[in-house]
Amino acid sequence: MAAPKSHVLRNGQTVQVESSTLVVGDVVVIKMGDVVPADMLVLEAVDLKANEAMLTGEPTDISKSTVAKDPSASFLSNMLYSGTSVVSGHGKAEVLDTGMRTQVGLIAKRLGAERSVTAKNPLAASVNKLGTALAICLVVVILLAATIAFQTGYQDPARPCDAGDRACFFKNSFLRAVIMAVALIPHGIPIVCTVMLRVGAMEMAKLNGLTMKMSAVDYLSATTVICTDKTGTLTEGKMTGAALMGAVHDPSKGATAKLAESSLSFYPLKGLCPNGGLFSDLNMTEEHRKQMDKIFDGKEVRQSFAQPGLPDLALPDDMTSHSNTLDAMMARAHLSCGFLTCYGTKLARDAKTGVWETTGNMTEGALKVAAAKGGYWDDEGAGHALHSTCVRLSDMEVPFTSDRKMMATVHALPENHRVESLQFASDYTHFAILKGAPDRLVDKLGSVLDVSDGALHLPGRSMNDVDRASVKKHNSHLAHQALRSILLALRPLSAADLDKMKACSSADDRLAVILGEPTKVVFLSLWGIYDPPRTSVPPSVKRCHEAGIQVVMITGDQPDTATAIGKKIGVICEGDDPDIRTALCSELHEPMCQRRVSGTGLWNSRRASETLKSLEQLQRGSKAGYGGKHRGSKRLSVHDVRGRNDATEPEYRSEEVLAEITQRVRCFARAQPTDKVAIVESLKAQNNIVAMTGDGVNDAPALKSAHVGVSMGIAGTAVTHQASDLVLLDDNFSTIVSAIQEGRRIYNNAQKYVAANLSLKFGEMVSILISIGFGVVAPINPTPQLLNLLVTHIISTFCFAFEVAEPYIMKVPPRSLKDDFVISRTQILFRVVPFVIYFPAVVYASLCFGMLSQVGTADNHAIIGTSMVLDLASGKTICERAGWEREGEYKLDARPFHCRCKVSKGGMPSGDIDEFDQWGSGHMEVSGNPIINKDMFSLSRSVWKGEANRFVEPCKGNRDMWCWRDDVEEFSRPVLPSGISCGEYGVKYGQSMALFTIMTGEMLSLMSFRTDGFFIYHLFQNKFYLLTLACQLFITFQIIFNPSLSSLLDVVALERIHLAAAGTFALCLVVLNELAKVLFRVRLAALNQELEKQALALSHSEVKSVEV
């Protein structure tokens, strides 16, 4: 891609250079179509205009001049700003700032303030806390288990240590403890939580919330405050004219007579649809409205809604028949002038969808739709004729800016000096239509229309204080109806006035000419524009309040309008004092405080330096008068030291004062982009988790500052999308609430996962710890335990990400981040602890069932065997081992030479017992079930040849212990080979039953942990769980019945009766889990009842500091 280039004056010649090489002091030649390469001071301007929408959000073009008309403005008229585009004219400008010192760079500076790379989202921080607690627990478990195993001499029956081999004892004890602890580590928590957040992001996308960062899912679940725009987010963004008010003077009643007022209303109001009428408020009733709703046809462009005694004043026929009435004359004047001043906005119907759409400014769209209801269309009828007779002078226009809050268009008068019902004096050739905010324009008014001879004459009678107060009263009345108000005024212009305007070099100069003679500025109409709240917003705000989330509306409207909208959508609750809940954003600013400025232009030309110096003097002069000291600390980002370019931004009050304001206020009016940053920073400083919405480039810093930046997918810019964490594809506030619910669902499921995971792991740990402490066979060996860890504890638990939300999650306050371990105390006491208690009992029941039926005991020491001559006969052991005496020491053989097992004939431990003996043979190789092949190990068929004392005898040094005879060679000692003794087989059988119970029982327990309610109602809701259940059962059966896998994992195939018993024990886990959940639900219901009260109380209280 080619680098952007600029034309620069060098040595008196115009040369082209790369824009990146520009330096302060360069003089750049600018023309239409150029993108401004740096922040520059205008030196020459010939009809120079720039579009600064990327900085201001205003779509209108700004005229540029060599003199700044308003030094206190945020963006000066004698400056060109980097990144903006030149739309007309040409000129020269001197570079003042480049790169990060430009206005765009200032935004980039705030956007560049990334969160710390070490900062973690709430869930990650909570997981870390949990991990730290578990790490301490692991150390304790390792030390405890190793100590107990070493002190009690606990051994693995399959691989016992030689007698006296303390190193072997210590090694095995430590390894057993480590393996147990490794199984306790929640390896799956990070990956499962990551999967959950990703699934949450996918679900949000289905709800029209595009997640740009996965952390947004988690932050939304903990959000305590939502700061939101009004237009297009809380409202439909489809403004439509709802009310019209005008006032005229009747000369026949005397010069001091009260003004005759005309109050009109549009109905039906169907967004941008022009099918509606205009009626007198005095005559229209609720019954009339119902009748209009009945006959309304959305497919029609315009119907007649006139009824007996109620003429449709916007319908041309009714206008004509009632042309002499005041309401009819005012209606034509309102609609025609509103039509002329909104030339840049178009109204059209989509050919495919049939939906009416406007292009251009939304407020002008409302006037355009209203004019269309009166038959004023751009390309036909009265509107086309009006454009032809009242030609607009584009070069005389005064565009709208956020600073002046008004605009003006200039039009030629027809020969008869009449525009619809408006009659101008004969000495005027043109007229200007002023349109703007009433609070800015009402004080500029100087006259009211005169009505006589079937026309409205201007200029009319001078406006007095009573008249002006009446206009303000009506403006306040509209605001209290949640209507945005726009004031239209007329200014007749003579040829001399027009010449003065042509001589002006800027829009501000032209506006000064228009407003220069107040007696000629005539009040025409006050429009009430309705932007209906989205039907889904009031219920969504109510849901936020029920969830303990505060909603703060930030709007550019006047306070009364903000209050009315706030009440209508529920941001201001019933019983709240509107004066407390609503505030102007100017309350956030220090009164008349001079900004701290850093940096000077050392390399500017003398002319530029003098201009900058004069601007700084003017700025200081306009802000003089504040000499007090700041109260409180100023550590927020909005309190930073600014440079020359942002010196015009307001100085914000201290943290403490900002906190006082943001705690009580729900509706901020007349907001600027930097005010949003101050509000967000203040709320964050009070430890709130803040979500912030925005659409313009200037909103990007506020979005970046918030924990969750939410941009508009339709109205938002690319910069805001990149700065945000969540994009609302439908620009709807309700989507944020749905996203919060999704975030809470994910967190709640994460809690369930952690509860289930810790229950399974601690259950297994306690089971093994019991085996070590009580000297019984461990229910599961290390290798199967690690396999179960992967299959059940990690892969299968992904199903929690897909669980539906519990009904209470949006009726409790946001979770407290202080000491949050993901899992709650209630879950630990009523879910984890009971499971850890009954899990070992069930598992050992399964283990003992198998071992008692196969070997007659579950005692670990009995299975390993002893060398004592009388232990087998007395029932203390089932296996006998022999040793030898050398140099006064007794060395015990690792393998038994004789075992006596008790096998249940029917498979039930309580059934008839079949007792048999196994005698060792050093050369016999047998695979499979040694119990089935018991005859091969009988005393008569083995090398013992029916003599029990053929190879062993009581030791000479200790007659109570067995020793090998002296003539028995070491390599030919007849011991039972590894894995062949009935004792070892019984251990494998019991552990196989326990493994089946553990794997199946844990998988079925996950089904119970998935929901707080009775699991049977949710059994088939989670398809991923059903899939993992089927896969896990398949794996379990393969482990038990596949010979290659079973031999690898030291398990054996189970008989049907034992398989059924192991399955029954697994089901017992589910039953016991459900019984424990009964108490859990009782406790949870009581807890949620208290939390619901807290959440509702929060919606009627101030935004309090949140402990995190």
Side-chain angles (χ1 to χ4, degrees):
M1 183 181 293
K5 299 182 182 298
S6 301
H7 291 86
V8 186
L9 291 180
R10 296 281 170 84
N11 299 321
Q13 301 293 323
T14 302
V15 297
Q16 190 179 55
V17 299
E18 291 187 4
S19 298
S20 60
T21 64
L22 292 177
V23 295
V24 175
D26 274 339
V27 176
V28 181
V29 178
I30 290 292
K31 63 181 184 303
M32 184 176 65
D34 288 347
V35 175
V36 180
D39 282 7
M40 303 187 293
L41 180 69
V42 177
L43 303 178
E44 294 181 11
V46 179
D47 194 25
L48 187 62
K49 290 185 179 181
N51 188 303
E52 297 175 351
M54 66 169 293
L55 294 175
T56 65
E58 303 294 345
T60 53
D61 301 333
I62 307 300
S63 297
K64 295 297 179 180
S65 62
T66 58
V67 179
K69 298 302 179 183
D70 184 2
S72 63
S74 298
F75 297 96
L76 302 175
S77 60
N78 66 336
M79 290 284 295
L80 290 168
Y81 297 99
S82 178
T84 61
S85 55
V86 179
V87 295
S88 70
H90 59 87
K92 295 178 183 178
E94 181 179 338
V95 176
L96 297 184
D97 289 297
T98 61
M100 294 298 290
R101 291 181 59 84
T102 63
Q103 287 289 345
V104 172
L106 294 174
I107 295 176
K109 178 187 74 173
R110 292 190 178 94
L111 293 179
E114 295 282 355
R115 299 186 185 113
S116 171
V117 294
T118 59
K120 294 179 174 61
N121 54 293
L123 182 58
S126 299
V127 169
N128 278 3
K129 294 177 184 177
L130 177 64
T132 301
L134 290 177
I136 297 173
C137 181
L138 288 178
V139 173
V140 174
V141 167
I142 291 175
L143 294 176
L144 180 64
T147 302
I148 294 175
F150 185 76
Q151 293 296 327
T152 59
Y154 184 85
Q155 299 191 67
D156 184 351
R159 287 169 287 276
C161 295
D162 293 337
D165 190 349
R166 298 182 63 85
C168 177
F169 272 103
F170 179 79
K171 176 184 175 183
N172 287 351
S173 300
F174 184 74
L175 288 177
R176 167 65 66 176
V178 169
I179 291 295
M180 182 175 60
V182 167
L184 177 62
I185 298 173
H187 306 80
I189 286 184
I191 186 172
V192 172
C193 289
T194 301
V195 170
M196 284 185 172
L197 293 177
R198 175 54 63 188
V199 170
M202 294 168 60
E203 291 299 316
M204 286 185 186
K206 296 177 183 178
L207 300 171
N208 291 321
L210 179 62
T211 305
M212 307 296 285
K213 299 173 186 174
M214 278 201 301
S215 61
V217 180
D218 183 31
Y219 274 112
L220 284 168
S221 70
T223 295
T224 59
V225 181
I226 302 175
C227 298
T228 176
D229 286 333
K230 177 182 74 72
T231 303
T233 305
L234 297 174
T235 62
E236 292 181 359
K238 296 179 180 178
M239 297 186 182
T240 182
L244 272 171
M245 177 268 174
V248 298
H249 169 245
D250 187 350
S252 63
K253 296 182 180 181
T256 59
K258 184 179 178 181
L259 297 180
E261 296 181 351
S262 170
S263 295
L264 309 175
S265 294
F266 292 94
Y267 203 83
L269 299 177
K270 302 294 181 180
L272 301 179
C273 178
N275 189 11
L278 181 62
F279 309 92
S280 170
D281 284 345
L282 294 175
N283 300 327
M284 189 164 61
T285 64
E286 188 61 33
E287 188 61 33
H288 288 141
R289 291 188 177 90
K290 292 179 180 179
Q291 187 63 30
M292 294 180 206
D293 288 332
K294 287 181 181 179
I295 65 174
F296 176 81
D297 185 356
K299 296 180 181 179
E300 296 289 335
V301 176
R302 183 66 164 93
Q303 296 173 262
S304 174
F305 294 96
Q307 298 180 46
L310 184 69
D312 185 345
L313 300 177
L315 202 64
D317 291 342
D318 282 19
M319 278 187 186
T320 303
S321 59
H322 299 80
S323 59
N324 290 328
T325 65
L326 175 61
D327 287 337
M329 288 189 287
M330 293 300 295
R332 292 204 304 275
H334 294 322
L335 298 181
S336 60
C337 291
F339 173 75
L340 287 173
T341 191
C342 298
Y343 67 90
T345 301
K346 305 297 180 184
L347 173 65
R349 193 176 206 169
D350 188 281
K352 295 182 179 179
T353 63
V355 176
W356 290 94
E357 298 175 344
T358 60
T359 57
N361 183 276
M362 287 190 294
T363 304
E364 291 190 350
L367 273 63
K368 199 77 170 185
V369 172
K373 293 176 180 179
Y376 295 99
W377 297 87
D378 288 319
D379 302 324
E380 61 183 26
H384 181 69
L386 204 58
H387 277 315
S388 300
T389 56
C390 301
V391 178
R392 180 177 60 88
L393 280 64
S394 59
D395 55 346
M396 295 292 101
E397 181 179 343
V398 178
F400 180 90
T401 67
S402 57
D403 292 324
R404 63 172 70 103
K405 295 289 185 182
M406 67 180 72
M407 66 168 293
T409 57
V410 178
H411 304 265
L413 281 171
E415 293 182 0
N416 62 358
H417 295 83
R418 183 160 180 150
V419 178
E420 296 294 341
S421 58
L422 295 168
Q423 182 64 58
F424 291 80
S426 58
D427 53 342
Y428 296 111
T429 60
H430 295 76
F431 69 101
I433 305 175
L434 289 155
K435 177 180 65 184
D439 56 352
R440 293 291 186 92
L441 198 50
V442 69
D443 291 329
K444 311 294 183 183
L445 301 176
S447 299
V448 292
L449 296 167
D450 277 341
V451 56
S452 62
D453 302 327
L456 303 172
H457 299 266
L458 70 163
R461 193 203 74 183
S462 296
M463 177 177 273
N464 55 41
D465 293 338
V466 175
D467 301 335
R468 189 170 285 103
S470 176
V471 175
K472 291 181 178 179
K473 179 180 178 181
H474 280 283
N475 177 50
S476 178
H477 177 68
L478 292 176
H480 281 94
Q481 297 180 68
L483 299 179
R484 170 182 270 185
S485 52
I486 297 293
L487 192 148
L488 263 62
L490 299 174
R491 165 63 156 94
L493 298 170
S494 64
D497 293 329
L498 195 63
D499 290 338
K500 290 180 182 179
M501 293 182 66
K502 289 180 179 179
C504 295
S505 58
S506 70
D508 287 331
D509 290 338
R510 293 192 291 274
L511 183 61
V513 173
I514 295 174
L515 300 176
E517 297 183 53
T519 56
K520 294 183 179 180
V521 181
V522 184
F523 170 64
L524 175 62
S525 57
L526 191 63
W527 290 69
I529 296 175
Y530 185 53
D531 185 9
R534 295 177 183 267
T535 55
S536 60
V537 167
S540 296
V541 172
K542 182 180 179 182
R543 290 182 66 198
C544 286
H545 290 164
E546 290 175 347
I549 301 171
Q550 299 289 356
V551 180
V552 177
M553 183 177 73
I554 306 175
T555 177
D557 288 336
Q558 55 188 342
D560 287 343
T561 304
T563 300
I565 288 288
K567 287 182 177 178
K568 183 166 290 191
I569 63 177
V571 170
I572 298 178
C573 301
E574 185 176 351
D576 285 350
D577 186 346
D579 294 334
I580 294 177
R581 294 304 193 189
T582 306
L584 284 166
C585 281
S586 58
E587 293 184 27
L588 304 171
H589 310 158
E590 291 282 11
M592 304 300 290
C593 180
Q594 182 182 342
R595 241 320 182 180
R596 295 167 290 162
V597 180
S598 66
T600 55
L602 298 178
W603 302 101
N604 295 131
S605 66
R606 184 174 65 182
R607 176 179 175 183
S609 298
E610 290 175 351
T611 301
L612 293 173
K613 184 177 180 180
S614 63
L615 282 173
E616 290 177 1
Q617 290 174 346
L618 288 171
Q619 290 170 357
R620 283 196 293 269
S622 65
K623 297 176 180 179
Y626 180 80
K629 294 183 178 180
H630 299 306
R631 179 170 66 88
S633 55
K634 292 196 170 187
R635 298 169 295 181
L636 304 180
S637 66
V638 291
H639 293 137
D640 62 348
V641 177
R642 305 292 177 85
R644 179 184 63 243
N645 284 353
D646 57 350
T648 56
E649 290 185 0
E651 173 77 23
Y652 287 94
R653 303 172 81 174
S654 66
E655 289 182 52
E656 291 78 8
V657 176
L658 291 180
E660 291 173 6
I661 297 172
T662 54
Q663 281 179 8
R664 65 175 172 82
V665 174
R666 296 293 181 273
C667 296
F668 286 95
R670 294 302 189 205
Q672 294 294 329
T674 53
D675 296 329
K676 297 180 180 180
V677 179
I679 294 168
V680 169
E681 289 286 342
S682 176
L683 290 170
K684 285 176 61 180
Q686 301 166 56
N687 294 327
N688 288 289
I689 302 298
V690 183
M692 176 74 211
T693 70
D695 51 14
V697 173
N698 270 356
D699 292 331
L703 300 188
K704 198 74 171 181
S705 177
H707 294 101
V708 185
V710 183
S711 65
M712 304 297 108
I714 300 173
T717 61
V719 175
T720 53
H721 291 169
Q722 293 173 5
S724 65
D725 304 289
L726 179 70
V727 178
L728 303 184
L729 300 180
D730 56 358
D731 291 8
N732 193 338
F733 175 82
S734 300
T735 303
I736 305 176
V737 182
S738 299
I740 289 174
Q741 178 176 343
E742 181 61 26
R744 290 193 175 190
R745 181 188 74 85
I746 290 298
Y747 179 77
N748 184 247
N749 289 339
Q751 286 185 304
K752 294 177 184 177
Y753 160 72
V754 172
N757 194 267
L758 294 184
S759 297
L760 303 184
K761 291 182 177 299
F762 273 91
E764 291 182 12
M765 181 204 72
V766 171
S767 299
I768 297 174
L769 200 59
I770 288 173
S771 70
I772 296 174
F774 289 91
V776 295
V777 175
I780 187 171
N781 283 324
T783 304
Q785 187 178 12
L786 294 178
L787 177 64
N788 183 48
L789 167 71
L790 174 65
V791 175
T792 308
H793 296 193
I794 297 179
I795 297 177
S796 298
T797 51
F798 288 156
C799 67
F800 283 94
F802 302 94
E803 283 302 316
V804 297
E806 295 291 344
Y808 60 80
I809 63 171
M810 288 299 286
K811 294 183 179 180
V812 295
R815 71 183 189 269
S816 173
L817 302 184
K818 184 180 181 180
D819 298 329
D820 178 32
F821 289 86
V822 184
I823 187 171
S824 68
R825 184 172 180 270
T826 303
Q827 288 174 312
I828 293 175
L829 294 178
F830 292 90
R831 297 303 305 272
V832 177
V833 171
F835 189 89
V836 172
I837 292 174
Y838 56 69
F839 180 84
V842 172
V843 169
Y844 273 103
S846 181
L847 173 77
C848 293
F849 189 100
M851 291 193 66
L852 292 176
S853 66
Q854 296 296 312
V855 72
T857 184
D859 186 276
N860 195 56
H861 294 286
I863 292 171
I864 293 174
T866 70
S867 61
M868 304 303 292
V869 174
L870 299 178
D871 279 358
L872 181 62
S874 62
K876 293 181 179 180
T877 185
I878 66 169
C879 290
E880 294 179 303
R881 293 193 290 169
W884 57 90
E885 294 176 318
R886 290 179 180 176
E887 299 178 356
E889 292 186 5
Y890 182 77
K891 184 71 173 178
L892 183 64
D893 206 329
R895 301 294 307 161
F897 67 87
H898 175 213
C899 289
R900 180 177 295 164
C901 296
K902 299 177 181 179
V903 182
S904 174
K905 292 182 179 180
M908 298 294 291
S910 59
D912 295 335
I913 301 299
D914 182 13
E915 185 175 282
F916 71 96
D917 291 279
Q918 280 186 314
W919 294 87
S921 173
H923 305 286
M924 186 178 294
E925 294 184 4
V926 178
S927 60
N929 188 345
I931 298 176
I932 297 176
N933 301 314
K934 59 184 178 180
D935 291 340
M936 298 179 63
F937 300 95
S938 64
L939 186 63
S940 60
R941 296 187 60 179
S942 65
V943 295
W944 295 78
K945 296 182 179 180
E947 299 179 16
N949 296 328
R950 181 178 176 85
F951 299 106
V952 295
E953 62 181 2
C955 297
K956 296 180 177 65
N958 185 350
R959 305 299 293 178
D960 294 331
M961 302 177 69
W962 287 114
C963 281
W964 294 106
R965 289 180 177 271
D966 294 337
D967 58 347
V968 179
E969 299 292 337
E970 183 175 351
F971 64 88
S972 61
R973 291 194 295 269
V975 295
L976 288 167
S978 178
I980 296 302
S981 75
C982 61
E984 292 172 335
Y985 180 80
V987 170
K988 290 182 180 179
Y989 203 91
Q991 288 178 337
S992 298
M993 278 193 66
L995 179 62
F996 187 90
T997 298
I998 289 172
M999 294 188 68
T1000 306
E1002 288 183 349
M1003 193 64 201
L1004 294 176
S1005 295
L1006 292 182
M1007 175 175 59
S1008 180
F1009 276 105
R1010 284 170 39 210
T1011 175
D1012 294 339
F1014 185 39
F1015 78 92
I1016 202 69
Y1017 300 126
H1018 306 271
L1019 183 60
F1020 301 104
Q1021 286 185 350
N1022 193 326
K1023 295 180 181 178
F1024 187 85
Y1025 170 77
L1026 297 176
L1027 176 63
T1028 55
L1029 175 62
C1031 292
Q1032 201 261 12
L1033 290 175
F1034 174 78
I1035 292 172
T1036 304
F1037 275 93
Q1038 286 295 309
I1039 291 172
I1040 299 297
F1041 296 103
N1042 188 315
S1044 58
L1045 287 176
S1046 60
S1047 62
L1048 183 65
L1049 298 174
D1050 277 341
V1051 296
V1052 295
L1054 301 176
E1055 297 178 7
R1056 291 182 180 179
I1057 186 172
H1058 296 127
L1059 182 65
T1064 302
F1065 286 121
L1067 290 174
C1068 287
L1069 283 176
V1070 181
V1071 174
L1072 292 171
N1073 214 9
E1074 287 299 313
L1075 291 176
K1077 280 169 61 177
V1078 174
L1079 294 176
F1080 171 73
R1081 284 196 291 269
V1082 172
R1083 173 57 184 159
L1084 186 65
L1087 184 62
N1088 285 342
Q1089 189 174 10
E1090 290 299 319
L1091 291 175
E1092 287 177 18
K1093 293 178 181 178
Q1094 292 180 23
L1096 291 173
L1098 282 173
S1099 64
H1100 296 279
S1101 65
E1102 295 182 351
V1103 180
K1104 299 296 185 183
S1105 297
V1106 180
E1107 294 294 335
V1108 295

